[in-house]
Amino acid sequence: MAESTTPGRRRRGAELEHAIYVATLDELAANGYGRLTMEGIAARAGTGKAALYRRWPGKQPLVLDALRYALPPLAEPDPEHSPRENLAGALAAFSAVLAGRTLVPGIEFIVDLLREPDLRALFADMIIAPRLKRIEAILHEGVRTGEYGPEALHPLAARTGPALIMQTFLLTGEPPNPREIDLIIDTMLHRTATPREQDGRGGTHEPTQTRAATARQRDGSASPA
């Protein structure tokens, strides 16, 4: 981004921090965490290393602050929508983060985190855990309204959706499209649907990935969500 690479007047405060965050995210996307350096970030931001070290003792806390800066705020569930609609929105937002549709570098960076256990744990606490809590809250609301059975409150129900989204990335290289998100929700709720919902669907369910692949074949080159 222009302001992170072009020297100009001396920047201070929030303006300088914005340039540093943008430079950090650009360096992560270009080089990965392993090759990320404070020198490279400073050069891309058009500032000196001293400006970075006055604020952060090293690259790990800087990266975490840059991720906090980059992540869009969690959207509140819409009370006018059904729990299923809110669940679809929460999963689509999670998918957008992995797809790099926010300022966060995307799934390549997340895979890179596996080599850095401390950073991975912090990333899980900061990014994954709040989103799981939001999904759990939506499932709680579904149980309260009678749309889902009490088994929807099991922690694995909330984890299933994000896990299948990540699996879709690994298997296809693309984020799930809206139809696949719908199939993922069916899988999350397969054992937690009320009898009325089960009767309405009828029969047994194919595995989500098989059904998603079938949907892709039937729909042709479906656009990612």
Side-chain angles (χ1 to χ4, degrees):
M1 299 184 184
E3 69 177 303
S4 68
T5 58
T6 304
R9 62 183 176 80
R10 186 173 180 182
R11 294 161 297 180
R12 293 183 173 86
E15 184 182 8
L16 177 58
E17 287 188 359
H18 167 80
I20 293 171
Y21 290 149
V22 170
T24 301
L25 296 165
D26 287 348
E27 283 287 297
L28 277 172
N31 300 314
Y33 183 80
R35 293 191 293 167
L36 185 73
T37 65
M38 299 291 269
E39 292 83 356
I41 294 169
R44 190 181 284 266
T47 189
K49 288 191 298 180
L52 274 63
Y53 282 111
R54 279 196 297 269
R55 293 165 173 81
W56 301 277
K59 69 178 184 178
Q60 184 182 100
L62 171 53
V63 166
L64 291 173
D65 280 350
L67 291 173
R68 290 188 186 96
Y69 166 84
L71 279 170
L74 278 172
E76 292 290 335
D78 189 333
E80 300 299 319
H81 289 170
S82 70
R84 187 182 181 95
E85 290 171 322
N86 282 321
L87 192 55
L91 293 176
F94 180 82
S95 179
V97 172
L98 297 186
R101 292 178 184 160
T102 67
L103 292 176
V104 176
I107 196 166
E108 294 85 359
F109 164 66
I110 294 170
V111 171
D112 197 28
L113 288 182
L114 297 177
R115 304 184 185 93
E116 304 289 338
D118 291 341
L119 189 61
R120 180 197 57 77
L122 291 168
F123 181 86
D125 288 342
M126 186 179 73
I127 294 177
I128 303 299
R131 283 153 180 79
L132 286 179
K133 287 184 178 179
R134 180 54 49 83
I135 292 171
E136 288 172 355
I138 294 170
L139 293 175
H140 271 270
E141 178 63 13
V143 172
R144 187 189 69 79
T145 62
E147 186 170 342
Y148 312 141
E151 296 85 357
L153 303 183
H154 192 286
L156 289 180
R159 295 179 188 178
T160 297
L164 289 176
I165 288 172
M166 294 194 72
Q167 186 183 60
T168 300
F169 270 101
L170 293 174
L171 292 177
T172 69
E174 298 178 344
N177 60 41
R179 177 171 177 76
E180 290 165 338
I181 291 284
D182 197 50
L183 296 178
I184 286 170
I185 293 173
D186 280 348
T187 300
M188 292 174 66
L189 303 177
H190 176 45
R191 293 191 176 184
T192 62
T194 62
R196 172 179 55 79
E197 286 182 311
Q198 291 174 339
D199 292 343
R201 294 189 189 117
T204 58
H205 291 255
E206 299 175 80
T208 294
Q209 292 305 325
T210 302
R211 297 165 66 205
T214 302
R216 281 183 184 269
Q217 293 172 358
R218 181 168 56 249
D219 297 340
S221 55
S223 299

